[in-house]
Amino acid sequence: MKLTKKQIALSNFPYYKYSLRYTLDSLQRIGADAIELYAVEPHFHIDDSGLPELMSLKRQIRQRGMRVICLTPEQMKYPINIASSNPAGRSRSVGAFTKCIQYASELECPVVLFHVGYPLNDERYEDAWARSAESLSHLTRIAEGYGVTITAEFVNVRWKTVLRNSQKAAEMIRQIGSPNLRGMIDTITLATSGETVDEAVRNLEGNLAHCHFTDGSGRPDVLAHLVPGEGELDLCHIIDALGSAGYKGYLSVELMSPYEDNPEEAMQKSAAWLRAHLV
């Protein structure tokens, strides 16, 4: 199976120093159809947005002929941790993700992307895992009701998630046992887990719902998300591996620094690379 141009998803990730209007106009100029929406200030931060803001966002996206295929709330720079040992913080975090699921449903967006919580440096990993699983069990029941799929990202960084590799992601998916909890691959964070894309695809067989597709150094200590073709990753092999596994989801372009001052050029180059390498 070959991956196709219809599986390209652009995003607003590198546009966080620009207004929502500029961002959507820019993505329209590039020819975006499917987009991953990074729910962050100044575009659409979940905590600051109610139904009026949601409906306005939906209208603006539709007016430009685009659709949201994944909603990803900011969850690293803000105090979101569904595995928190603080009951109040954990409840608030679950509430924020619940709101994200509800908003995704209203946007007719099939997928949300969550980090599933982490332990503090002086807390037991196993305890954080148990709290994460309990929170996810609750969230997946809500997701099932709304017809939204939760994708859980893995990365071997202690303060980001208990899912340190694709094996742990697969273990959590099995433990929760919900069809609305699935895994994803980020081409950059594979290096932190010491895994190849082939290993991740095997571990997540039947449960791979999303992919962040960017170039990088291939080093576990350097997490820069680069325009395809500007890094060291064998992206063509990654495409082939995903195609061989029958992957039907999107290749979503997640760019951040050093592109925030000229995001349109970076997103344009990324889209051009993908269009040239997919059938």
Side-chain angles (χ1 to χ4, degrees):
M1 174 180 170
K2 296 287 188 180
L3 301 189
T4 73
K5 294 179 180 65
K6 292 182 179 180
Q7 291 172 271
I8 297 172
L10 304 185
S11 73
N12 64 315
F13 279 102
Y15 289 88
Y16 62 92
K17 290 187 176 181
Y18 289 81
S19 68
L20 175 63
R21 176 175 293 182
Y22 175 90
T23 299
L24 296 180
D25 286 345
S26 172
L27 292 172
Q28 183 182 32
R29 286 193 292 270
I30 297 170
D33 172 22
I35 62 171
E36 178 170 347
L37 180 66
Y38 177 35
V40 66
E41 174 68 23
H43 299 164
F44 184 78
H45 179 41
I46 295 294
D47 286 350
D48 299 336
S49 303
L51 185 59
E53 291 80 15
L54 177 65
M55 300 311 293
S56 174
L57 173 69
K58 184 176 181 179
R59 183 181 67 255
Q60 291 180 70
I61 291 172
R62 283 187 170 179
Q63 285 174 342
R64 292 167 175 83
M66 297 185 289
R67 55 198 170 88
V68 182
I69 54 86
C70 181
L71 179 60
T72 302
E74 173 51 55
Q75 48 206 295
M76 295 290 100
K77 298 174 183 175
Y78 299 111
I80 299 293
N81 182 6
I82 66 170
S84 175
S85 58
N86 176 358
R90 182 178 162 205
S91 176
R92 176 181 42 72
S93 299
V94 170
F97 280 175
T98 298
K99 191 175 180 182
C100 187
I101 291 168
Q102 293 168 332
Y103 281 9
S105 176
E106 181 59 42
L107 290 171
E108 300 177 42
C109 167
V111 172
V112 293
L113 193 161
F114 295 159
H115 284 276
V116 300
Y118 56 91
L120 299 179
N121 287 339
D122 58 343
E123 292 179 335
R124 280 171 29 97
Y125 171 84
E126 294 78 10
D127 294 340
W129 178 280
R131 293 191 295 267
S132 175
E134 183 178 353
S135 297
L136 275 173
S137 293
H138 174 73
L139 287 166
T140 53
R141 289 195 295 272
I142 294 171
E144 288 169 11
Y146 281 97
V148 172
T149 295
I150 298 170
T151 55
E153 183 167 3
F154 65 87
V155 54
N156 191 19
V157 177
R158 182 181 178 89
W159 56 268
K160 285 193 173 185
T161 177
V162 294
L163 305 183
R164 296 179 176 174
N165 52 46
S166 61
Q167 289 181 315
K168 284 296 183 181
E171 180 182 343
M172 183 66 82
I173 291 168
R174 289 193 298 269
Q175 181 173 335
I176 301 303
S178 169
N180 291 66
L181 177 63
R182 301 179 70 190
M184 64 160 293
I185 287 175
D186 187 312
T187 55
I188 304 303
T189 61
L190 281 171
T192 71
S193 303
E195 294 180 308
T196 66
V197 66
D198 307 272
E199 292 168 332
V201 164
R202 284 197 299 271
N203 290 333
L204 292 170
E205 183 178 2
N207 282 307
L208 185 56
H210 195 57
C211 178
H212 277 169
F213 190 88
T214 43
D215 212 338
S217 68
R219 292 169 47 191
D221 60 331
V222 180
L223 295 180
H225 292 61
L226 303 178
V227 168
E230 295 187 357
E232 304 296 326
L233 300 183
D234 188 350
L235 296 180
C236 290
H237 173 69
I238 291 174
I239 289 173
D240 289 341
L242 292 169
S244 296
Y247 176 64
K248 296 180 180 179
Y250 288 89
L251 300 181
S252 182
V253 178
E254 182 194 24
L255 301 175
M256 298 292 271
S257 295
Y259 305 112
E260 57 264 63
D261 289 329
N262 194 359
E264 182 166 333
E265 180 183 9
M267 196 59 67
Q268 175 67 65
K269 289 180 178 178
S270 300
W273 191 97
L274 280 164
R275 290 164 183 161
H277 288 81
L278 301 180
V279 298

